[in-house]
Amino acid sequence: TPLREINRIAVVGEMTILLAWSLDEAGRYIETLKAFEHRQPDIIRERVEDTYMARLANSLTSIKSVNKTDVLTLSSNYGSFEGVAKATSDELSLCPGVGDLKAQRIFKAFHELFIPEK
């Protein structure tokens, strides 16, 4: 296909393909790339704290409607990621600020199959 051929040419020629919806958007991308051309990658790399609580918050807030306050509540009630993961939906809903729907979402995040069965 033509797209595969373009991709092959880019890989062989050690080029980067830039995809944009408009010329203005492509121009903004190129301006940004030029602005960061000779800078260290640390400037644009995501900063992730390496503390236990930061990693716990990062993982639990990926569940819909769970916020950092909920993470503190869950952490203080269950002590660890493992404790939260082993809690039942009913137990989770007893935590202040964690209602039935949020408790069900947390429980499902730990107990539903990652890849649904066919």
Side-chain angles (χ1 to χ4, degrees), residues 6-26:
I6 291 171
N7 194 32
R8 187 189 67 74
I9 292 169
V11 170
V12 170
E14 296 181 10
M15 296 180 278
T16 300
I17 296 175
L18 180 69
L19 178 65
W21 290 106
S22 68
L23 291 176
D24 290 338
E25 184 180 17

Side-chain angles (χ1 to χ4, degrees), residues 4-48:
R4 283 187 186 202
E5 185 64 21
I6 291 171
N7 194 32
R8 187 189 67 74
I9 292 169
V11 170
V12 170
E14 296 181 10
M15 296 180 278
T16 300
I17 296 175
L18 180 69
L19 178 65
W21 290 106
S22 68
L23 291 176
D24 290 338
E25 184 180 17
R28 285 191 301 274
Y29 286 152
I30 292 170
E31 286 174 353
T32 303
L33 288 170
K34 289 302 282 178
F36 288 99
E37 183 176 26
H38 298 294
R39 296 197 183 173
Q40 294 295 321
D42 299 343
I43 294 172
I44 58 174
R45 189 176 299 149
E46 179 184 10
R47 286 154 181 73
V48 178

Side-chain angles (χ1 to χ4, degrees), residues 52-53 56-57 59-61 63 66 70-93 95 98 102-111:
Y52 175 76
M53 279 305 293
L56 182 64
S59 60
L60 291 178
T61 54
I63 301 169
V66 175
D70 297 327
V71 173
L72 290 173
T73 302
L74 293 167
S75 174
S76 65
N77 282 299
Y78 296 103
S80 67
F81 184 84
E82 181 181 11
V84 175
K86 288 182 177 180
T88 67
S89 182
D90 291 335
E91 292 170 339
L92 291 166
S93 66
C95 292
V98 179
K102 195 180 292 188
Q104 289 172 2
R105 286 179 178 159
I106 296 167
F107 183 81
K108 281 183 179 180
F110 290 109
H111 296 92

